[in-house]
Amino acid sequence: MRAPLVRRTTLALAAALVAGSAVAASAQSGDGYLFHAPSARLTLRAGYAQANAGSDVFEFTESELTLRKRDFSGFTLGGEIALPITSRIEGSLDLGYSRSSKGSE
């Protein structure tokens, strides 16, 4: 009963997003950007990496040590810088860091 409602809501939101983006595209200049092409792109990310921890290695570690599944999860940070090489190609460097540390017996 709940799945069809979620599916309909998702489809309605997707249709509204597509319709809204088509209107915004008409305001752009001929080269695809509103003002000018960017000279570089910088992206920063932060989040929480939820470990699945469903394999035999994790099960063995949980049974032999004082650890739980959530102990394998942790915060993550990342960033990317991209520079255009040509008008259609860009080079990028992407770095990320995630760590989980928990003491056990």
Side-chain angles (χ1 to χ4, degrees):
M1 176 101 173
R2 189 172 158 91
L5 177 63
V6 171
R7 189 175 298 127
R8 275 188 255 136
T9 304
T10 304
L11 287 173
L13 288 172
L17 229 144
V18 168
S21 65
V23 173
S26 65
Q28 294 177 348
S29 64
D31 63 356
Y33 299 97
L34 185 56
F35 298 110
H36 58 81
S39 57
R41 184 171 45 92
L42 176 67
T43 305
L44 299 174
R45 296 181 306 275
Y48 187 75
Q50 180 69 38
N52 188 9
S55 70
D56 293 338
V57 174
F58 290 107
E59 289 178 18
F60 174 78
T61 305
E62 289 175 38
S63 67
E64 298 298 318
L65 303 172
T66 57
L67 295 173
R68 295 181 298 244
K69 282 188 177 187
R70 69 175 181 218
D71 294 332
F72 298 104
S73 302
F75 290 99
T76 181
L77 297 171
E80 177 185 17
I81 185 163
L83 300 168
I85 297 171
T86 68
S87 64
R88 295 184 181 261
I89 299 173
E90 69 180 19
S92 68
L93 175 66
D94 190 343
L95 298 172
Y97 177 78
S98 181
R99 180 176 181 198
S100 175
S101 178
K102 180 73 174 180
S104 69
E105 297 176 7

